[in-house]
Amino acid sequence: MSLLEVLYFLVPAAIFYAAPLIVTAIGGVFSERSGVVNIGLEGLMVMGAFIGILFNLSFVHIFGAGTPWMALLAAMIVASLFSLLHAVASITFRADHVVSGVAINLLAIALCLYLVKMIYGKGQTDFIQERFLRDDIPFLKDIPVLGPMFFQNVYATSVLAIVIAILAWVVLYFTPFGLRLRAVGEHPMAADTMGINVTRMRYIAVMISGGLAGIGGAIYSQSISLDFSHSTINGQGFMALAALIFGKWHPLGAMGAALFFGFAQALSIVGGSIPFIEDVPNVFLLILPYVLTILALAGFIGKAHAPKALGTSYIKGKR
Amino acid sequence: MSNRIVNILVPVISVILGLLVGAIVMLVSGYDPIAGYSALWNGIFGDVYTMGETIRQITPYILAGLAVAFAFRTGLFNIGVEGQLIVGWFAAAYVGVAFDLPKMIHLPLAILAAAAAGALWGFIPGLLKARFKVHEVIVTIMMNYVALHTTNALVRAISDGGDNTGPINPNASLRSDFLANMTDFSRLHYGIIIALVMVLVMYIILEKTTLGFELKAVGLNQHASEYAGMNVNKNIILAMVISGAFAGLGGAMEALGTFGFASVKGGFTGIGFDGIAVALLGANTPLGIIFGATLFGSLKYGATNMPNEAGIPEEIVSIVIAIIIFFVASGYVIRLLVQRFSKNKEAK
């Protein structure tokens, strides 16, 4: 296999595996930029993955080929409502954000498995019939080298993920809303003094993170796993969290990190058929994203600065 | 109302609310909560066999709870108990399988190996926190996944591609004929004694030694401790190492007591994450952890009886546990309500 052939094979696979990570990590960026730690991304993804499959199986006879997209919408709505639990606990009830996030993760997986057993009477759902499909992008697919690498046989969800990342960047850095959201995460008291409603801003941010994580989960379940069981989402949420830190709390950075993690995942799955890579024990590729994140945090790959007020509850009138 | 009573009331109210929400979920989904909870009760206390199994289930929860609580006391949040437990599990099983020694040496060696592996897994986030100011929450989460994948690969490596290390040498086992006979041949093993001794060890370290005093001081106010001449960085690392050792011992309980082997895992055991809940419920005190672990161990084991006896998915108990964590974490609101309620009473 020539290098180019390997790349034609790997790059689309990397983007394919990265798409759910990108969307979820962007969600995390919104939440953490507003000052709310969101360890619950994993749980929110679980919820999205489950709702995606549930909706897909239940309504496929109505929506036909459009079902996966409708399911994406449903997953977004349900997961953002579910994230309200985290918002209420960590913003209004002043709970420790991390503990509340852990509870979200435990609750999501327990609730979804409970519902699966109740509805289907077994530990996992059936496989879906309508899934996201690959397609060529007109015109761009004919560009030499880049065409086959990026624009042939791509999933629409991969394009969606990248569009969401760019949109998030624009919203966070070039709109008044984004400025307010970041201000709340850096110095909530100053933001409050300037008339920004800190509580409302944080609620909105957490719900955006819930909605995006829900989309991420639904993309994963409808393009990669194609059913839902206890192991459908197994660490992708934490990997998204890692991508957001590795990307230094910046939407495009998070997208870059997620793409890289997607690359590592693709390597660990298809690596067996690529020369050179097949000699590397699989375990190194599996732990790569996590080890890299630890190294990034330790400052070996450039220092990252978390939002200043991250993880703190804002209490009016308290200095 | 005194602070002490409120401190006890918060977890109690949380548990009641959790069970209440569980009952509502069962009602809404068309199950009978009374049948569900009585199946749960029978699953915990039904006969001597289930009671033995319940105590067996409580054992690792005690150690996981101790691990989380010990870090908490130093102001650290160890979410890596799960990973530390997994590496401890593997290390104990490896020593149990690889050597052939007399019991007096083999069993302590296997237990120590587990503690050392867990301690190592706690040392890394501790060092990074002390040296580079890296937040331990993220590092420990990442370390969990590294532990999961690495031990899976190691199990495959020592079993030539299989997914099980094979049974440990009986000389490394915590199995007890005496305890098994007493409980109608349950898998109850001597681990519970180790767990209870460790509760005592944590109490002694925290309350009777200079180290414990320093650890608590660092947890309460890092800057004041530094000013008082304590080595904050050293204490952070030590706290994570000791915490990891407790977690590793939790893994040894599973390797040497309950299962007698290590196998490739598709996902986490959940014991480490439930340890967070155990520690929270026990208010991070050694005695409290015994109560917290008893509650969670019982709920988890009793839940397995719910599908058989009442036809209710056992995940309902996981839902209850998650809700309990939510309410304990939101202790501020419960405190507020309790105080308002007691003030109203006094006014009347």
Side-chain angles (χ1 to χ4, degrees):
Chain A
M1 224 191 268
S2 75
L3 180 68
L4 210 56
E5 274 176 85
V6 170
L7 282 179
Y8 288 165
F9 185 50
L10 260 184
V11 172
I15 301 176
F16 168 62
Y17 283 111
L21 294 183
I22 296 174
V23 183
T24 309
I26 299 293
V29 168
F30 275 95
S31 166
E32 302 228 334
R33 275 289 181 173
S34 80
V36 182
V37 180
N38 204 341
I39 303 258
L41 287 177
E42 173 91 359
L44 296 167
M45 264 185 105
V46 168
M47 193 46 94
F50 169 66
I51 296 296
I53 294 291
L54 182 68
F55 187 93
N56 194 316
L57 287 172
S58 312
F59 294 104
V60 69
H61 59 281
I62 299 174
F63 298 111
T67 317
W69 293 102
M70 298 305 287
L72 219 57
L73 204 66
M76 183 187 82
I77 293 166
V78 173
S80 80
L81 289 177
F82 186 64
S83 71
L84 269 177
L85 275 178
H86 182 51
V88 171
S90 59
I91 301 168
T92 307
F93 290 177
R94 300 180 196 171
D96 187 306
H97 299 185
V98 176
V99 178
S100 161
V102 169
I104 282 275
N105 291 336
L106 293 177
L107 184 61
I109 191 80
L111 195 62
C112 292
L113 281 180
Y114 179 81
L115 289 171
V116 165
K117 283 192 180 162
M118 226 185 76
I119 299 170
Y120 299 97
K122 52 185 177 176
Q124 66 202 62
T125 67
D126 300 324
F127 283 94
I128 53 169
Q129 299 305 320
E130 285 293 338
R131 48 176 294 187
F132 287 115
L133 294 172
R134 297 159 183 266
D135 220 337
D136 293 347
I137 297 175
F139 307 118
L140 291 175
K141 73 176 161 76
D142 298 325
I143 305 172
V145 185
L146 292 180
M149 217 183 285
F150 294 107
F151 303 116
Q152 285 180 11
N153 263 330
V154 294
Y155 283 89
T157 47
S158 305
V159 179
L160 175 75
I162 292 166
V163 168
I164 286 178
I166 294 168
L167 258 177
W169 173 56
V170 172
V171 167
L172 274 177
Y173 284 90
F174 302 101
T175 64
F177 170 78
L179 180 66
R180 286 183 197 133
L181 193 139
R182 285 182 292 133
V184 164
E186 294 292 336
H187 202 316
M189 200 168 63
D192 193 12
T193 315
M194 296 305 289
I196 300 171
N197 187 334
V198 176
T199 307
R200 202 181 71 188
M201 225 47 208
R202 288 188 165 176
Y203 264 90
I204 294 172
V206 171
M207 285 186 77
I208 293 176
S209 85
L212 288 177
I215 293 180
I219 291 179
Y220 188 90
S221 66
Q222 293 185 92
S223 63
I224 299 176
S225 72
L226 307 183
D227 74 337
F228 181 84
S229 70
H230 70 281
S231 61
T232 298
I233 301 294
N234 190 5
Q236 282 82 12
F238 288 114
M239 223 189 262
L241 188 74
L244 121 85
I245 294 163
F246 198 56
K248 299 178 181 176
W249 286 271
H250 190 288
L252 298 185
M255 177 178 76
L259 279 171
F260 184 77
F261 290 172
F263 190 71
Q265 252 183 313
L267 271 183
S268 72
I269 290 164
V270 302
S273 51
I274 299 170
F276 179 67
I277 304 289
E278 66 191 347
D279 301 329
V280 179
N282 197 266
V283 61
F284 290 109
L285 297 167
L286 283 173
I287 64 174
L288 185 67
Y290 307 112
V291 173
L292 274 176
T293 305
I294 294 174
L295 291 179
L297 277 169
F300 295 127
I301 314 176
K303 198 75 195 157
H305 291 285
K308 271 215 183 64
L310 188 60
T312 57
S313 299
Y314 176 62
I315 301 162
K316 244 186 195 317
K318 192 183 173 192
R319 293 216 270 177
Chain B
M1 203 176 281
S2 83
N3 218 6
R4 203 186 162 86
I5 299 175
V6 177
N7 279 345
I8 297 171
L9 265 181
V10 169
V12 171
I13 291 175
S14 301
V15 171
I16 295 170
L17 286 173
L19 289 172
L20 213 63
V21 172
I24 293 168
V25 172
M26 280 190 263
L27 259 182
V28 169
S29 43
Y31 296 121
D32 178 4
I34 295 170
Y37 280 139
S38 63
L40 180 66
W41 179 265
N42 291 338
I44 303 168
F45 301 109
D47 48 41
V48 274
Y49 173 81
T50 54
M51 278 162 82
E53 284 285 310
T54 303
I55 297 171
R56 176 193 61 74
Q57 186 76 56
I58 291 167
T59 311
Y61 278 104
I62 293 179
L63 289 159
L66 287 179
V68 177
F70 198 84
F72 254 137
R73 291 301 279 271
T74 318
L76 297 166
F77 200 169
N78 185 4
I79 301 201
V81 171
E82 181 72 36
Q84 291 145 15
L85 188 138
I86 292 174
V87 292
W89 184 331
F90 173 78
Y94 177 76
V95 172
V97 172
F99 300 104
D100 193 9
L101 300 162
K103 184 148 197 159
M104 289 299 286
I105 304 170
H106 204 165
L107 181 58
L109 190 70
I111 293 172
L112 279 178
L120 173 71
W121 231 248
F123 172 75
I124 296 170
L127 179 75
L128 291 174
K129 169 91 177 181
R131 178 82 181 71
F132 299 105
K133 301 271 168 271
V134 183
H135 207 290
E136 73 280 5
V137 165
I138 307 294
V139 179
T140 49
I141 289 177
M142 300 302 145
M143 293 290 289
N144 284 344
Y145 284 94
V146 176
L148 181 66
H149 292 305
T150 311
T151 53
N152 279 353
L154 287 173
V155 168
R156 286 207 182 89
I158 66 168
S159 63
D160 292 322
D163 54 8
N164 192 321
T165 57
I168 57 166
N169 192 318
N171 279 343
S173 176
L174 281 168
R175 288 268 162 83
S176 143
D177 289 336
F178 169 66
L179 289 175
N181 281 332
M182 217 170 66
T183 54
D184 202 9
F185 303 103
S186 75
R187 287 176 293 170
L188 182 62
H189 53 80
Y190 283 130
I192 185 69
I193 297 168
I194 296 179
L196 291 175
V197 168
M198 285 302 138
V199 172
L200 196 66
V201 167
M202 169 158 164
Y203 171 78
I204 291 170
I205 294 180
L206 278 181
E207 306 298 336
K208 304 287 175 202
T209 66
T210 325
L211 171 71
F213 179 79
E214 285 199 14
L215 290 175
K216 282 187 292 182
V218 170
L220 290 172
N221 190 335
Q222 241 186 53
H223 304 292
S225 316
E226 182 127 42
Y227 185 70
M230 296 176 194
N231 187 340
V232 171
N233 284 346
K234 193 195 85 187
N235 282 325
I236 286 174
I237 297 177
L238 251 179
M240 284 304 282
V241 165
I242 296 173
S243 166
F246 280 135
L249 284 178
M253 299 300 112
E254 302 294 85
L256 308 175
T258 308
F259 294 99
F261 57 83
S263 55
V264 170
K265 293 179 181 55
F268 290 125
T269 64
I271 298 170
F273 297 118
D274 290 337
I276 298 168
V278 170
L280 279 173
L281 266 189
N284 301 319
T285 59
L287 195 63
I289 282 160
I290 296 183
F291 289 115
T294 305
L295 179 73
F296 280 97
S298 309
L299 283 177
K300 269 281 154 99
Y301 183 72
T304 54
N305 188 41
M306 292 177 78
N308 304 333
E309 200 180 308
I312 300 173
E314 58 180 281
E315 278 76 18
I316 186 73
V317 164
S318 303
I319 296 177
V320 170
I321 289 178
I323 300 287
I324 293 176
I325 299 178
F326 258 121
F327 283 120
V328 178
S330 312
Y332 158 75
V333 166
I334 296 181
R335 254 165 239 276
L336 210 69
L337 291 177
V338 167
Q339 265 152 12
R340 195 158 289 172
F341 187 68
S342 63
K343 252 184 215 147
N344 279 351
K345 250 199 203 153
E346 277 160 27
K348 275 174 197 166

